[in-house]
Amino acid sequence: MRNAEITGWGKCMPPNVLTNHDLEQLVDTTDEWITTRTGIKERRISHVEASELAAVAGLRALAAAGKTVNDVDLLLVATCSGDSIIPSTASVVQRHLKAWNAAALDLNAACSGFVYGVVVGTNMIRGGTNNTVLLIGTEKLHFVTDFTDRTTCVLFGDGAGAVVLEPTDEPIGLLSSELGMDGSVGHILGVPRDGTAGDPGPIDPRASAIGMEGPELFRRAVTTMGDSAARAVKDAGLSLEDIDLVIPHQANTRIIDATARRLGVDESRVFVNIHSYGNTSAATIPVALTEALEQGRVDPGDNIVFTAFGGGLSWGSAVYRWGERVEPLGESDAELPPPDRTTMELLQANFDFFGLPEKLT
Ligand code: UT7
């Protein structure tokens, strides 16, 4: 049977860092609160657009797969903080890459976007429509973050991760998946005014920022991710002992720990890097997968569980069997242009729009 496997992987994290101690200088928070309640120590603030992060991550993934941009016939960009709605962020990424042979579309399932993308990309290959799918999760969440709101500004960060999917006849790749959405509670996480809903007119800056009911999301994330991951493992015909690595969406270490407990997997089999990057929505899982490979945490034939939960409220879990190769075939020399501003200088545009954080007033 024609299957699809991940043959390349890469990430692009912008260099500007915003630490918990920096946030202590802006809002009424502490490193101790952020660390114990979320696990986050620092996050990245991008000086370029989400499409540029995506392009560099994409080039690195293509090099790891031994492919060129001309090979790509489908470009899937999972994002909820992309450059624009029209043209799609995928269109802009295609232009950066000069991937002229690729059909391209955005896929917005918020934090679950990468898991959705693996399922869509795999099925496009299985169905015979595509041969080289470049799937990128990219976010520039600081753009929609209000740094006067301590309940959200400590959580999010920017970054991109990418994978290349190619056909294989081996019994590897996606073994099972479960995707879901509960639009009846979509309002508990989102940016109220980032589309066409409502009348045209002046926009209240607060409506352009991410807002959320944190504790309610927390409760739903734990039950939904744990249960859907368990169902995906069962559907794959595996037991929990067969799972070598869980790569969960990185929204909060307490959510990750509780999900792992609910799933019945000990922490040594769970990949966590939220301390370095915070929540980068659709980018968390491809970035974590790339780092897991870089750190030798993936072995040939491993059974990996991806599980995510986020805006929508969306969720997705997938059981994925790795192939033989855990080393990249090549390396790209693609780099971002160096930043010309400090992290605080980059955030000034947010302060001008949303208002000055309380400690700067
Ligand atoms: O990406 C997928 C979607 N996102 C998520 O899944 C996020 C899910 N939610 C969470 O991760 C957690 O709910 C948060 C990290 C957002 C919040 O943690 P929490 O333990 O649920 O805190 P809380 O909202 O219940 O707030 C507890 C207290 C409150 O003070 P009072 O009312 O008890 O006096 C908050 O005002 O902590 C206060 N607080 C803070 N204190 C210091 C909230 N944010 C901060 C902060 N620094 N940054």
Side-chain angles (χ1 to χ4, degrees), residues 7 17 29 83 137 156 223 267 309 358-359:
T7 56
V17 173
T29 194
D83 299 21
F156 300 106
T223 51
E267 63 182 33
F309 179 84
E358 59 182 289
K359 293 197 174 173

Side-chain angles (χ1 to χ4, degrees), residues 69 106 159 198 213 237 248 255 264 338-339:
V69 288
D106 287 0
E213 295 176 26
I255 294 177

Side-chain angles (χ1 to χ4, degrees), residues 27-30 33-34 37-38 110-111 149-156 189 212-219 221-222 225 249-255 279-281 309-311 313:
V27 290
D28 185 15
T29 194
T30 58
W33 191 95
I34 303 170
R37 305 308 289 172
T38 74
C111 305
D149 180 0
R150 71 173 182 174
T151 69
T152 55
C153 74
V154 302
L155 301 175
F156 300 106
L189 169 61
M212 63 159 76
E213 295 176 26
E216 179 60 16
L217 271 176
F218 187 100
R219 193 181 62 74
V222 169
M225 276 163 68
H249 171 51
Q250 314 275 316
N252 186 320
T253 36
R254 289 186 297 136
I255 294 177
N279 181 348
T280 58
S281 193
F309 179 84
L313 299 177

Side-chain angles (χ1 to χ4, degrees), residues 140-151:
K140 186 181 170 183
L141 288 166
H142 92 260
F143 188 85
V144 288
T145 301
D146 174 1
F147 283 86
T148 70
D149 180 0
R150 71 173 182 174
T151 69

